Amino acid sequence: MKKPLFVILIAAGAMAGLIFANRKMGQERELEREREKPVVAKSQVKPGTNGEATLTLEDEAQNRIALQVEPVRSAKLNPELKGFGRILDPAPLAALAAELASAQAALAASEKEFDRLKLLNAQEKNASDRALQAAEATARRDQILVESVRTRLALTWGQAIAEQAGLPAFVRSLSSLDSAVVRLDLPAGEVLPAPPVSARIILASAEEHSIPAQFLGPAPAVDAQVQGQGFLFLAKASSPRLAFGKTVTGYVQLPGEPRSGFIVPDSAVVRHAGQGWVYVQTNHDTFTRRRIPLDHPTDTGWFVPEGVAANEKVVVSGAQALLSEEQKYQIKLLE
């Protein structure tokens, strides 16, 4: 009799364990469903005519995604054109500069010897006409060699660098990474009516930071692949380092009146369908997604000439959550 009672107790315990486990699994499924709910609750989306959309959010939903807005700032930007290029290796320039210095030293010595023999010949003191002619030929040869190196410098690096007054110091600055020569090429077909004023250099590894660069002169040759106008700029050392061979994006500054616009923080920008967008607060609980051009990055955000207006506020925290909720709403409409 004791044995059946023992079996019954074991069965009852197992049944209770199964009931507890099932209840626990039910609670976990309920929590999972809660987590899978949209981040933004009680929202409403109204699509616009130009790809824009207006999203309505209650205060509770805004608090849930920690939504924050900031007003756009008025700004001005000098006219500029976007180009692409690289930081040039100064080794070939250093070799030519050394060759030029050697040729100039040889020329100075041969000219001095020629002047000495010419003076002696005029005084009829131990300087034959033949020796004088030989000295003159040597000086002339050395002069031609100097001009040859200068021509190669100009053809390879441009007139502005070839005519640097302190070329050795210039080369040392490049070799020590205190500065760098940057070549920027404009797209084919873009022709500047006047020489550039300067440039802003942006490295791929530090897109949030631009480096000012001084205009040196036009590039001496056209890039075979780009086939556009090329220009040389001098950039001073910065962080990150301007290592040779790095590819860069550059914004060539042009003469002319500055453009008016606004600075939009980078945190406000969302990418969708290959375009840049911001959510503008149009009322306390409504936010409209608007397209903005992403053509002019700055150190504090994006310069935007259109798409936003003075005194408007854009979402700087929670913009991606708004885009996700908008896309979920569109999926629901298709179901």
Side-chain angles (χ1 to χ4, degrees):
M1 292 297 292
K2 292 182 179 180
K3 189 173 182 180
L5 179 60
F6 179 71
V7 172
I8 290 172
L9 290 174
I10 292 176
M15 183 64 70
L18 288 173
I19 292 172
F20 177 79
N22 186 57
R23 184 174 297 174
K24 187 67 175 178
M25 290 176 62
Q27 291 174 348
E28 290 179 354
R29 283 195 294 267
E30 184 64 27
L31 289 173
E32 187 66 27
R33 283 193 292 269
E34 285 294 324
R35 285 194 292 266
E36 290 178 353
K37 283 183 178 180
V39 175
V40 182
K42 299 181 181 179
S43 64
Q44 183 180 3
V45 179
K46 294 181 180 179
T49 56
N50 298 318
E52 301 177 348
T54 298
L55 188 65
T56 302
L57 273 78
E58 296 181 351
D59 289 345
E60 180 185 353
Q62 294 182 34
N63 293 334
R64 178 183 280 181
I65 64 172
L67 187 141
Q68 295 180 10
V69 297
E70 284 184 9
V72 295
R73 294 186 292 105
S74 299
K76 290 185 179 294
L77 187 71
N78 291 325
E80 61 183 17
L81 280 176
K82 187 177 183 179
F84 300 92
R86 65 189 186 281
I87 300 174
L88 301 183
D89 184 355
L93 176 60
L96 281 173
E99 188 177 344
L100 178 61
S102 177
Q104 287 173 328
L107 175 61
S110 59
E111 284 183 335
K112 185 176 181 180
E113 177 64 12
F114 173 60
D115 290 340
R116 186 183 72 84
L117 291 177
K118 185 165 59 174
L119 180 60
L120 292 175
N121 182 265
Q123 297 175 349
E124 297 181 353
K125 293 181 180 179
N126 198 27
S128 65
D129 292 342
R130 183 176 181 180
L132 180 62
Q133 291 170 359
E136 183 179 13
T138 301
R140 178 60 180 157
R141 182 202 62 196
D142 291 342
Q143 177 66 45
I144 292 173
L145 182 58
V146 168
E147 294 302 324
S148 174
V149 179
R150 283 178 174 163
T151 300
R152 280 188 286 143
L153 263 172
L155 291 175
T156 308
W157 290 88
Q159 204 69 34
I161 293 180
E163 295 177 354
Q164 284 280 332
L167 185 59
F170 180 80
V171 171
R172 283 195 298 272
S173 175
L174 299 178
S175 302
S176 61
L177 298 183
D178 290 334
S179 60
V181 175
V182 181
R183 173 175 178 142
L184 291 179
D185 293 287
L186 299 180
E190 291 281 4
V191 179
L192 300 188
V197 177
S198 58
R200 296 188 297 121
I201 308 299
I202 298 177
L203 303 178
S205 58
E207 295 182 351
E208 74 286 351
H209 177 62
S210 62
I211 303 168
Q214 169 193 347
F215 175 61
L216 289 176
V222 173
D223 187 281
Q225 293 183 333
V226 180
Q227 291 294 308
Q229 274 188 299
F231 301 96
L232 300 180
F233 297 88
L234 181 66
K236 297 299 182 180
S238 66
S239 180
R241 302 286 280 176
L242 299 172
F244 317 143
K246 275 190 176 182
T247 57
V248 300
T249 301
Y251 291 85
V252 179
Q253 309 291 302
L254 309 176
E257 291 297 320
R259 301 173 64 188
S260 296
F262 304 92
I263 296 295
V264 172
D266 189 60
S267 59
V269 178
V270 293
R271 269 80 171 177
H272 175 62
Q275 302 286 338
W277 306 81
V278 292
Y279 281 94
V280 179
Q281 186 180 39
T282 51
N283 208 330
H284 173 72
D285 59 352
T286 57
F287 304 87
T288 300
R289 178 165 56 84
R290 293 187 196 162
R291 182 174 20 230
I292 60 169
L294 299 180
D295 299 325
H296 303 284
T298 71
D299 291 348
T300 56
W302 295 87
F303 175 81
V304 177
E306 56 189 25
V308 293
N311 301 319
E312 286 190 321
K313 295 180 179 180
V314 294
V315 177
V316 295
S317 177
Q320 193 63 48
L322 296 185
L323 180 62
S324 299
E325 180 62 19
E326 182 187 328
Q327 292 173 333
K328 290 177 184 176
Y329 185 86
Q330 298 297 334
I331 292 173
K332 288 179 182 179
L333 293 179
L334 295 175
E335 291 178 348

